[in-house]
Amino acid sequence: GARHLVLASRHAPTETASAALAELRALGCAVHTVQADLGQAADVARLLAGIAPAGFPPLIGIIHAAGLSDITRLEELTPGKIEAVLAAKAYGAWLLDRLGTEQGLTLSLFILTSSLAAVWGAINQGAYCAANAFLDALAARRAASGQPACAIAYGPWAGTGMMAGASTAGVDWIRRHGIALLNPTFALDATETLATMVPNAACALVDWTAAVEALSEGLHSPLFARVAPLPQGVRSSSNEFTSAGPLAKLANVPTPQRLEQLTRSEEHT
């Protein structure tokens, strides 16, 4: 495994994190921590420029795991809320890609921690879905240009990440929607396997029949068509993607007016 790690976070290490860092150092791993906001170009530049002065060898791999979730109804989303969610994931990934390329980094690994929210959406998390979709697109673009990249759309991890401190009700809601929590060890093993295989992948434990019934809400997405039968009473969404469907209509709306159009559409449904 890696013997030199550079860990960046907006915040100083917590007591729990400090204990984990001490364990790594006891195993012989050199760890350099940097307090930086990856959504800020100056911080990313400072992070990359500080690796050699810290006595570390050249950077050969990046794992971008920053993220911020926000639960907000579509009509209540503001530019400020959207920007805050995009900054951590999307801006950070873009800056690592752009500045790394400008500095001539020769990487063998570029992992982006995406989310199932980008695969099939998430209620009241429009900005978060968009941020993760950006990661998926960035990984595909890097791979198409011959650069290493893998965006992994994870399901929720048990007891850590955004599920740390989750309420029993929250966990029960996830399970009712056919999604089991990932064991962190399993997720890390999967990451090691997927990291250099494909530019886009998903890692989740899903009961597809339960997921389709819970997530379709009366509309069967083509995404689910090959993994579970159409639930009784659920109509196909193929018409959503025709020239007369709402997505096609939205494409004809000027970009600045699309949020208003989506808001009106939601109010009428």
Side-chain angles (χ1 to χ4, degrees), residues 1-2 7 22 35-36 50 61 63 83 95 113 163 165 175 238 261:
L7 303 178
Q35 197 165 339
I63 301 176
E83 184 172 0
L95 288 169
T113 59
M163 291 304 296
R175 287 174 174 158
S238 58
Q261 176 68 27

Side-chain angles (χ1 to χ4, degrees), residues 104-147:
L105 296 181
T106 302
L107 301 177
S108 59
L109 194 71
F110 192 92
I111 300 175
L112 303 170
T113 59
S114 184
S115 167
L116 282 184
V119 178
W120 58 49
I123 295 174
N124 297 333
Q125 295 189 62
Y128 185 69
C129 294
N132 285 287
F134 178 90
L135 299 190
D136 297 345
L138 177 61
R141 185 194 64 77
R142 282 182 58 90
S145 65
Q147 297 175 293

